[in-house]
Amino acid sequence: MSMRIVKNGDVHVSVPIGVPKWEVEAFIEQHRDWIAEARKKTLDRQKQRADFYNRLPLTTRAQADEALQRLKALVEPMVERHSEIMGVKPRYIYYKPMISRWGVCHIKERTICFSAYVLLLPEWCVEHIVVHELCHLLEPSHNKRFHLLMDKYFPRWKEARKETRKICRMEEDSEDD
């Protein structure tokens, strides 16, 4: 048997078929303290994430326009520079206030979307995201070839990914036991 706390704080218990209900209830009861602590950590992490993303207000048209100008000034020169080095060029770049991803490469359309929230990251972490998405134009999946491309075009990518996760507290969204 195992259990985990999901984003909304619910407890999900996985149980093999045939385990009696009383045994499941006893398992849950034995882990009451863990459940309470894991729920608290989950809520704390959600608050940290919300606090992070709320540092970039995007509720008014003026805020969104200002963020777009800053995004273009930051990201597009990086895309241009790395595109030339890598021998790839996206057909179109656009921006959205995504909180689940820093960037998305649509291989068939050869377009890249960057999260507006990259503005909250250090420049070298943004550059890592740019190179990551451009690498997808050369290799769609996160396989060995993709990682070799990342090693070639942005050798500090693992360090940048770690720093990005640390900054925004994007570690695992559930607690497992």
Side-chain angles (χ1 to χ4, degrees), residues 143-160:
N143 60 18
K144 186 176 181 175
R145 180 173 182 256
F146 177 86
H147 292 116
L148 289 171
L149 290 167
M150 286 299 296
D151 288 341
K152 178 179 180 179
Y153 294 116
F154 199 85
R156 293 178 64 198
W157 70 270
K158 289 178 186 171
E159 187 183 344

Side-chain angles (χ1 to χ4, degrees), residues 61-74:
R61 185 82 218 142
Q63 290 170 336
D65 289 346
E66 191 263 336
L68 181 60
Q69 287 177 339
R70 288 176 47 213
L71 279 163
K72 286 182 174 189
L74 174 67

Side-chain angles (χ1 to χ4, degrees), residues 47-62:
K47 184 182 178 328
Q48 286 175 331
R49 282 182 56 122
D51 290 347
F52 173 79
Y53 289 108
N54 288 336
R55 289 176 28 212
L56 181 67
L58 296 170
T59 50
T60 68
R61 185 82 218 142

Side-chain angles (χ1 to χ4, degrees), residues 94 101 104-113 133 137:
Y94 61 104
R101 296 176 166 191
V104 179
C105 180
H106 300 282
I107 299 4
K108 288 182 181 173
E109 296 85 16
R110 299 190 65 77
T111 63
I112 299 176
C113 179
E133 298 310 328
L137 294 174

Side-chain angles (χ1 to χ4, degrees), residues 49-128:
R49 282 182 56 122
D51 290 347
F52 173 79
Y53 289 108
N54 288 336
R55 289 176 28 212
L56 181 67
L58 296 170
T59 50
T60 68
R61 185 82 218 142
Q63 290 170 336
D65 289 346
E66 191 263 336
L68 181 60
Q69 287 177 339
R70 288 176 47 213
L71 279 163
K72 286 182 174 189
L74 174 67
V75 172
E76 292 180 12
M78 289 180 188
V79 169
E80 205 171 299
R81 184 171 68 254
H82 286 286
S83 288
E84 190 172 311
I85 293 166
M86 297 169 70
V88 295
K89 187 161 175 64
R91 195 162 44 88
Y92 183 68
I93 297 168
Y94 61 104
Y95 308 90
K96 287 174 27 178
M98 301 182 291
I99 60 170
S100 60
R101 296 176 166 191
W102 295 113
V104 179
C105 180
H106 300 282
I107 299 4
K108 288 182 181 173
E109 296 85 16
R110 299 190 65 77
T111 63
I112 299 176
C113 179
F114 291 100
S115 171
Y117 296 104
V118 299
L119 288 171
L120 299 173
L121 299 173
E123 195 169 314
W124 74 288
C125 292
V126 176
E127 189 169 7
H128 153 255

Side-chain angles (χ1 to χ4, degrees), residues 35-51:
I35 291 168
E37 185 60 29
R39 279 184 163 157
K40 182 183 178 319
K41 284 181 183 176
T42 298
L43 292 173
D44 289 349
R45 209 169 15 255
Q46 285 177 328
K47 184 182 178 328
Q48 286 175 331
R49 282 182 56 122
D51 290 347

